Amino acid sequence: MGRVTPSAIPEILYAIKPALDGEPGSAKQPTAERRDGSSLGNGQGTVEERIAGLCDQKAETDERFAAEKNALLSKLTSATDEEQISAIRMQIAELDKQTAESDEKFAAEMKALLSEIPPEDYSTKVMLMLFAKTVGKKKGWAQSYDPHMYDTGHDPAVEGLMINILEVDRLKVNPQSTPIIGKRILEMSGGTGTVIDILYRNMLERNRSAMIKEQKALQGLGESDEIASDVAEKIHQKAVEKTRAELDVTLNDASEDMKQLASKKLEGKCDVKYTGQDLRALDFPRWSVDTLILSQTLHLITDPALLALEREPKWLQGETDHIEAKLEAIRRGFHALAPGGHFILVDEWPAVLSNNPVKPLDEMVSILFKATFRPVADRTIMGNALHEEIPEAKFVAELKMPIDKHHSMYALVYEKGSVEREREALPVSDFKGDTSPDNDETLPKEVKERHEAESRIVGAFQDLDVQFITAYRRMNGGQYWQNFEPLKLDQEHHLRLAVIREIAKKPEEQIECIMAQLKEEKAKPEAEKRFNSITISQVLHWMEPDQRKEFIESAIDALKLGGALVIVDEWKPPAGMPHPIENDDFRSRTMGRFQKRTRNRIIFEAALKTPIVGGYEASNMCGYVYRKITTSQGPQLQAD
């Protein structure tokens, strides 16, 4: 489907998906009725006032049903006669049935009232109700948002991602770049301030730890020695001051109730300016921020013009992802982002509304959320669109943390670079000697720089891997995934596969030798395999497509279950390579075939990019980590 131009109505933040009866655009719209039979849809007052009245009635009904059920349960506990017990259980079943019918009727009446809101006002009104503290007597999402996001695993996943982004900064994966987390931060839709709170807490701890380490060195203390409590308190205060000075935050959000919660959460931590600009019409000064963050809001951004098209009877496209509206919001954010600054997109895929059975969301929240939920189906679609439509967005990293067993949180990180034509790719080295890292002293400059770039990426993966594994343990209630081994590069359990430019052997001959080694290892029973990690280093562009697929599949088969497959190579492909593969083809086709449900051999863990020489306009070394989760026969990893 061709893209639809975003709406000319910039002040609207979101739009509804008009697919169901009772929603805008449906052929049939049920008339909502009051309990006395009068029509809510034709009642007096604004739509918001009538929705509040409907919520009042539903809250009273829910309270009455809950009281009746508690009374029946109390009777059931003390009942001894079988006939009486049976009668009480029948009453409870009937009450449950009435509750379900009440919920269905409430949902139909809510949708009917929502359908009365004009498309140009719909999203703003719905989102303000969704993120309010209360709608009538019902609790809006503002009251339960933080507990819900923590209990369902969203906030722990976001924290893991932010810790790893700070780690990428610490490791200087791109030594020529400014930090991803800069001083001037704009969070485009800041909600209750969780992302800024996570950054503050972790930056504070890093500063405090560094100061304590420095103090111990001055005092000649060992790592396990304690420093005096008064000294520790002074260090803590210095760390607080340093962290505050490192953060100058603008938190933007349309909901005043959410911003009130953010203000309380961030009080005394860092300087925060609160704004209420429309996400689809951001208007911050050019180059005024160093870091731009859009967290867990992408799937809610929609376009009123496209909504209007979807309401037309002749519209045949069905539900759409409103990706142009999403891109337009990001473009406006990029206007405020300084050159060399970074954009962090945090969201979940597959995108779903998670629920906690112990603390379920109020039905009103679910209805309002689903009314504005228009997800992008796959993160690669969003990544490709960013690359194509916002040319100054230069890929830096993609990180992943599990939310639960069904979906994960991702952070896509981009640097704002120039839009000039990229320089030519680096040529293949003419050096004919041993190009292995062990022979680094005699290597020419371009070979050394390639090794250094690979070393930065693989070294970073080892550090980032800690949070990834920790997240999987937490996701499974503290259980440990069998054979989910940490990424280590020790000689006994790691295999590095690379072409060494020796005079004696051509690259094609070396690849044949490597294939033979992999086939020998993959033929072993699972219990006898010895490699926890395999690195495929700078060989992809030497191989024909079919050989490349066979090579990667053999490497997966040779790994232990739960082991890490690390692939590092150069993009653009070096000039003169016999069988170059484009990066998008490698990720989507070559590696995608091993991640589809029909095969499901591996899962993605992380991706990083670092320059080889020059800046982001030159050739770059890209690295990817995948985890083996099934054998060739198919059994998946299980939690202990």
Side-chain angles (χ1 to χ4, degrees), residues 321-621:
D321 57 18
H322 292 230
I323 196 167
E324 282 292 350
K326 294 167 169 55
L327 289 168
E328 179 61 21
I330 295 170
R331 279 192 198 96
R332 289 178 173 272
F334 259 75
H335 174 78
L337 189 61
H342 289 84
F343 169 56
I344 304 171
L345 173 62
V346 178
D347 227 310
E348 61 189 83
W349 277 279
V352 297
L353 176 60
S354 300
N355 211 344
N356 180 357
V358 180
K359 302 175 185 176
L361 284 173
D362 188 278
E363 60 207 316
M364 181 200 69
V365 171
S366 298
I367 292 166
L368 293 173
F369 181 90
K370 291 173 183 177
T372 58
F373 188 54
R374 306 306 292 270
V376 177
D378 188 89
R379 71 187 192 280
T380 57
I381 296 174
M382 194 65 217
N384 290 340
L386 273 167
H387 177 71
E388 294 169 8
E389 303 296 332
I390 307 180
E392 64 265 45
K394 308 297 181 182
F395 176 81
V396 173
E398 180 181 338
L399 307 173
K400 172 186 174 184
M401 291 290 157
I403 297 171
D404 53 33
K405 290 186 177 182
H406 307 293
H407 65 317
S408 297
M409 194 72 72
Y410 293 83
L412 308 181
V413 184
Y414 296 84
E415 183 181 35
K416 184 176 182 178
S418 67
V419 295
E420 65 185 28
R421 185 178 64 85
E422 291 188 357
R423 296 200 292 267
E424 295 297 323
L426 294 174
V428 179
S429 174
D430 293 330
F431 182 68
K432 298 298 182 182
D434 183 354
T435 58
S436 65
D438 297 335
N439 193 35
D440 208 48
E441 292 299 320
T442 62
L443 294 177
K445 186 173 184 293
E446 69 272 14
V447 178
K448 281 185 179 180
E449 286 173 335
R450 284 185 167 106
H451 283 327
E452 288 171 2
E454 177 184 335
S455 178
R456 286 196 299 273
I457 284 179
V458 176
F461 281 152
Q462 288 183 273
D463 284 62
L464 302 181
D465 187 64
V466 174
Q467 281 297 323
F468 183 80
I469 292 179
T470 301
Y472 268 92
R473 292 176 182 173
R474 177 174 55 232
M475 183 192 74
N476 288 282
Q479 295 174 316
Y480 182 73
W481 282 79
Q482 294 177 1
N483 302 320
F484 220 76
E485 299 291 344
L487 175 56
K488 294 182 179 179
L489 305 182
D490 58 290
Q491 291 185 350
E492 184 179 357
H493 299 107
H494 174 253
L495 176 64
R496 181 177 183 269
L497 307 175
V499 171
I500 299 175
R501 301 280 296 188
E502 299 175 68
I503 298 174
K505 282 185 180 178
K506 296 180 179 179
E508 294 82 0
E509 294 173 332
Q510 292 184 59
I511 290 171
E512 289 181 8
C513 292
I514 294 171
M515 282 292 294
Q517 182 182 8
L518 288 175
K519 288 178 180 178
E520 179 182 348
E521 189 66 27
K522 74 182 249 186
K524 295 178 180 178
E526 194 63 37
E528 295 179 16
K529 290 177 180 175
R530 62 192 179 95
F531 295 121
N532 294 332
S533 60
I534 293 177
T535 299
I536 299 176
S537 173
Q538 304 178 62
V539 298
L540 297 179
H541 306 304
W542 290 101
M543 294 182 281
E544 295 180 356
D546 289 343
Q547 185 185 32
R548 191 184 294 122
K549 292 174 184 176
E550 183 185 3
F551 187 93
I552 293 171
E553 184 158 24
S554 296
I556 294 171
D557 288 336
L559 268 173
K560 281 185 174 182
L561 190 63
L565 176 65
V566 182
I567 299 178
V568 184
D569 221 311
E570 190 173 335
W571 279 282
K572 295 181 175 181
M577 294 301 287
H579 304 290
I581 180 173
E582 292 300 321
N583 189 278
D584 288 346
D585 285 345
F586 163 71
R587 290 201 67 180
S588 61
R589 296 183 183 179
T590 305
M591 300 310 296
R593 70 191 299 265
F594 300 111
Q595 299 174 78
K596 293 177 180 177
R597 290 185 178 182
T598 52
R599 298 176 65 84
N600 205 26
R601 300 294 313 282
I602 56 176
I603 58 171
F604 171 83
E605 178 174 340
L608 292 172
K609 183 176 80 170
T610 187
I612 299 172
V613 294
Y616 267 85
E617 311 308 325
S619 292
N620 298 281
M621 196 66 72

Side-chain angles (χ1 to χ4, degrees), residues 58-355:
K58 186 62 167 67
E60 292 167 3
T61 301
D62 289 345
E63 187 177 342
R64 177 169 57 83
F65 282 161
E68 291 178 9
K69 187 167 185 176
N70 287 335
L72 288 171
L73 290 172
S74 179
K75 287 182 180 180
L76 185 63
T77 303
S78 58
T80 56
D81 180 78
E82 286 296 328
E83 187 174 337
Q84 185 184 18
I85 291 172
S86 177
I88 294 172
R89 285 176 174 166
M90 288 179 65
Q91 288 178 288
I92 291 173
E94 178 60 28
L95 189 60
D96 288 341
K97 180 182 175 182
Q98 292 177 24
T99 302
E101 290 173 350
S102 172
D103 291 345
E104 290 177 9
K105 187 173 183 181
F106 174 72
E109 291 175 342
M110 276 286 292
K111 290 175 182 178
L113 285 172
L114 292 174
S115 71
E116 296 182 24
I117 304 174
E120 64 269 19
D121 296 329
Y122 187 91
S123 55
T124 302
K125 293 179 182 294
V126 171
M127 294 303 291
L128 289 176
M129 285 188 285
L130 173 61
F131 290 108
K133 289 181 180 178
T134 59
V135 178
K137 293 180 180 179
K138 275 193 164 291
K139 292 181 180 179
W141 207 2
Q143 289 199 41
S144 60
Y145 186 82
D146 279 346
H148 173 81
M149 299 304 278
Y150 184 85
D151 292 342
T152 55
H154 290 71
D155 282 356
V158 172
E159 178 138 16
L161 291 173
M162 289 300 158
I163 289 172
N164 271 356
I165 287 173
L166 290 169
E167 191 68 3
V168 171
D169 274 344
R170 184 187 70 81
L171 296 168
K172 297 187 181 300
V173 175
N174 180 0
Q176 301 164 5
S177 177
T178 59
I180 297 172
I181 304 300
K183 178 178 174 63
R184 299 173 301 169
I185 298 174
L186 168 60
E187 190 169 6
M188 297 167 66
S189 182
T192 63
T194 296
V195 171
I196 302 303
D197 181 57
I198 288 170
L199 286 174
Y200 173 82
R201 286 189 286 101
N202 284 281
M203 290 171 67
L204 173 62
E205 180 56 31
R206 285 169 184 250
N207 287 334
R208 191 185 68 85
S209 296
M211 290 177 181
I212 287 176
K213 184 176 181 181
E214 184 179 346
Q215 182 66 32
K216 286 183 176 180
L218 287 172
Q219 294 181 220
L221 299 175
E223 196 171 313
S224 59
D225 294 331
E226 297 289 335
I227 60 175
S229 58
D230 60 328
V231 176
E233 179 59 29
K234 289 179 181 178
I235 287 175
H236 176 74
Q237 290 304 319
K238 285 183 180 179
V240 167
E241 292 171 8
K242 184 176 190 299
T243 307
R244 283 177 179 167
E246 290 172 338
L247 292 172
D248 180 6
V249 176
T250 300
L251 190 150
N252 184 71
D253 202 279
S255 169
E256 292 300 322
D257 287 344
M258 296 290 271
K259 282 187 292 189
Q260 285 179 13
L261 294 170
S263 178
K264 185 176 180 180
K265 185 183 295 183
L266 300 175
E267 184 178 2
K269 294 180 178 178
C270 55
D271 293 330
V272 183
K273 177 184 177 183
Y274 295 93
T275 60
Q277 291 190 29
D278 183 337
L279 179 57
R280 290 185 64 254
L282 293 182
D283 187 21
F284 289 93
R286 186 185 184 204
W287 299 359
S288 59
V289 299
D290 305 309
T291 301
L292 181 70
I293 301 174
L294 179 61
S295 178
Q296 299 181 82
T297 310
L298 179 78
H299 301 305
L300 295 173
I301 301 174
T302 53
D303 176 20
L306 184 52
L307 169 63
L309 284 175
E310 290 173 343
R311 296 176 68 173
E312 294 294 329
K314 294 182 180 180
W315 177 259
L316 301 177
Q317 303 287 5
E319 295 182 4
T320 58
D321 57 18
H322 292 230
I323 196 167
E324 282 292 350
K326 294 167 169 55
L327 289 168
E328 179 61 21
I330 295 170
R331 279 192 198 96
R332 289 178 173 272
F334 259 75
H335 174 78
L337 189 61
H342 289 84
F343 169 56
I344 304 171
L345 173 62
V346 178
D347 227 310
E348 61 189 83
W349 277 279
V352 297
L353 176 60
S354 300
N355 211 344

